[in-house]
Amino acid sequence: MKTSVENVADLCEFQEDNCKKFVDKIIKANREIFMMSFLLKKQMCGYDLIKDIFSKCDVFLSQGTVYPVLYTLEDEGLLHAEYSKGDMRSKKYSLTLNGREIAEKDVEDFVKALEQVSLLLKR
Amino acid sequence: MSLMLKNTINGLDKILFDEIPKGSVILVTGAEGTLKSGLVFSMMTNYIAANDEHGLYVTLEQNVESHLRNMNSLGIKEEGGLHIFDYRDMRLEWMDSELDLIKTTEEVIDSYKEKYDNLTLFALDSLNALYSISEHGNMRNKIYNFFSRLRDEELTSFLIMESAQSRISGQFSQFHQIEHFLADGTIELGMIEGKGGVKRYIQILKMRATKHAMEKHQLTIGDNGINILGPIY
């Protein structure tokens, strides 16, 4: 049984061309959850997140949509930010304990919601 | 208790007789050191503190920390509902890419509006910085669309623009005339040298659908923040 987080990654990696437009919409509309699910794996800066989401999901989240989410999550105490040692050019974000709990729960709920929607559509 | 923008600064109601209509786009112009950022930030924090609303202050000139240090030195305190966004991280991490800063600013506004339903105030500090790091091609159209977008979003917006005009010729440069034409209001801040030394002033040059004074009024900064005193003749 895969974990929820891996299921979200599956959604990204195995999308077929004809469902790309829907995956694109889903990821853009729910970018906060996707960004947190990527941050569950490792600490990242805004640039890394945009690059990783693009390479894994083939969806480009623009800078103006990613950085505000990072800053508001930091304000809410869900992310911790620090500059890399010796590199003041990139601010790396990691989930706080509270942020990790919320991210795991949200990702799990999100995957369930997608499964329910999928069942509803197949009826 | 709710507060109107015209009551956010001590004495502002001496020059602004009606409330600024929601969704107005207002230019705040003046030379360096005339308290443009301080006036706008002060109006926004006082408004947000008294009303259950959110605001977004986008700074291109400074990062959040230095902006707040600056504001604290003027006696203006931070307010939780006023979100400050700077471009420092984005510009450093995307150094090799060309960013369309007008489009990016619109996306930043959309992101905060998604998060906070009652985002009603917006400020950009400054238009000059935006121009200096943007592609100038088709800038008139971009600015026209940007202003329209702010109105459509019903954001009462303050666009800060440094201008050397008040000291030298009294004329705005041609490059900056478009903003004055498009804006719903223009507030000019400046300095006048008189017998008593140099005094700061505020003057409302234009404010659509709002009754206002035309005279220059003295602007001071005290322990309780910014104050507007009587007319300067």
Side-chain angles (χ1 to χ4, degrees):
Chain A
M1 174 77 181
K2 283 182 175 175
T3 65
S4 305
V5 178
E6 282 166 330
N7 282 338
V8 169
D10 284 351
L11 175 74
C12 294
E13 285 174 353
F14 301 112
Q15 57 171 305
E16 292 168 21
D17 279 351
N18 51 1
C19 66
K20 188 182 178 322
K21 64 178 179 186
F22 296 113
V23 174
D24 204 87
K25 274 187 189 170
I26 292 168
I27 293 178
K28 284 181 177 168
N30 299 283
R31 62 189 181 283
E32 188 173 303
I33 290 174
F34 276 83
M35 286 166 62
M36 289 206 291
S37 84
F38 276 73
L39 287 169
L40 277 168
K41 294 170 197 160
K42 60 175 181 184
Q43 131 183 121
M44 289 168 139
C45 66
Y47 179 87
D48 297 335
L49 268 168
I50 292 172
K51 238 177 64 178
D52 264 33
I53 292 175
F54 182 69
S55 70
K56 291 206 169 78
C57 312
D58 195 21
V59 172
F60 180 75
L61 293 179
S62 59
Q63 294 90 341
T65 65
V66 165
Y67 287 82
V69 172
L70 289 172
Y71 297 161
T72 49
L73 290 175
E74 187 188 1
D75 282 348
E76 289 168 0
L78 304 185
L79 292 185
H80 167 74
E82 60 184 352
Y83 286 104
S84 314
K85 276 183 189 151
D87 180 10
M88 289 296 283
R89 288 199 318 170
S90 68
K91 206 194 237 179
K92 299 278 188 188
Y93 290 86
S94 53
L95 289 156
T96 59
L97 275 179
N98 186 27
R100 181 164 285 276
E101 274 176 26
I102 289 175
E104 283 171 348
K105 178 82 174 60
D106 279 359
V107 169
E108 200 179 313
D109 290 346
F110 183 69
V111 170
K112 278 184 199 159
L114 287 179
E115 285 166 357
Q116 279 183 26
V117 171
S118 167
L119 285 173
L120 285 171
L121 288 171
K122 283 176 183 166
R123 256 183 210 169
Chain B
M1 198 181 82
S2 67
L3 186 72
M4 291 196 275
L5 274 168
K6 73 185 182 83
N7 298 322
T8 50
I9 301 279
N10 188 22
L12 186 59
D13 56 354
K14 288 181 186 139
I15 56 172
L16 204 51
F17 308 137
D18 298 328
E19 180 59 339
I20 298 170
K22 280 193 190 308
S24 297
V25 178
I26 298 148
L27 283 183
V28 180
T29 70
E32 69 275 11
T34 50
L35 290 179
K36 297 182 295 295
S37 305
L39 178 85
V40 170
F41 197 74
S42 189
M43 286 175 77
M44 290 175 85
T45 50
N46 291 338
Y47 182 86
I48 296 293
N51 299 287
D52 187 22
E53 295 176 20
H54 287 261
L56 174 64
Y57 190 100
V58 172
T59 166
L60 283 138
E61 300 209 345
Q62 303 179 77
N63 61 35
V64 173
E65 295 77 20
S66 68
H67 173 76
L68 285 174
R69 260 200 310 278
N70 219 358
M71 294 302 108
N72 278 333
S73 74
L74 299 172
I76 305 162
K77 299 287 173 235
E78 195 180 350
E79 177 55 46
L82 180 56
H83 310 277
I84 310 168
F85 184 92
D86 72 45
Y87 278 92
R88 182 183 184 276
D89 299 335
M90 203 188 292
R91 287 176 65 193
L92 286 174
E93 289 171 16
W94 296 86
M95 227 175 222
D96 302 327
S97 311
E98 279 199 9
L99 290 172
D100 179 340
L101 282 182
I102 293 185
K103 183 170 171 270
T104 305
T105 302
E106 287 174 351
E107 288 172 348
V108 169
I109 293 170
D110 289 343
S111 293
Y112 278 91
K113 278 204 83 126
E114 261 176 51
K115 189 92 185 174
Y116 307 105
D117 289 341
N118 52 353
L119 187 90
T120 56
L121 292 183
F122 169 73
L124 178 70
D125 190 357
S126 65
L127 268 177
N128 310 67
L130 185 84
Y131 292 149
S132 70
I133 46 185
S134 296
E135 285 279 318
H136 280 207
N138 214 10
M139 188 53 93
R140 278 175 181 241
N141 274 348
K142 285 182 183 171
I143 284 293
Y144 175 83
N145 291 332
F146 182 55
F147 278 40
S148 302
R149 179 79 182 269
L150 295 173
R151 285 190 194 100
D152 292 346
E153 298 280 358
E154 291 204 326
L155 283 170
T156 303
S157 303
F158 298 94
L159 307 180
I160 294 172
M161 192 167 76
E162 192 159 309
S163 153
Q165 65 82 218
S166 55
R167 285 187 175 177
I168 306 165
S169 62
Q171 295 292 315
F172 294 111
S173 70
Q174 199 175 8
F175 185 67
H176 286 142
Q177 279 178 354
I178 181 83
E179 299 85 354
H180 291 273
F181 175 69
L182 291 174
D184 300 302
T186 304
I187 298 175
E188 187 188 82
L189 303 180
M191 292 187 211
I192 291 180
E193 197 160 1
K195 284 179 190 167
V198 176
K199 287 178 180 169
R200 286 195 178 95
Y201 72 81
I202 180 170
Q203 183 179 25
I204 298 179
L205 299 179
K206 157 173 138 177
M207 194 64 70
R208 284 178 186 148
T210 309
K211 284 184 188 143
H212 62 88
M214 288 303 295
E215 302 87 4
K216 289 177 176 154
H217 280 61
Q218 191 178 352
L219 192 76
T220 63
I221 183 104
D223 293 339
N224 60 344
I226 294 173
N227 298 290
I228 295 169
L229 309 179
I232 296 179
Y233 295 105

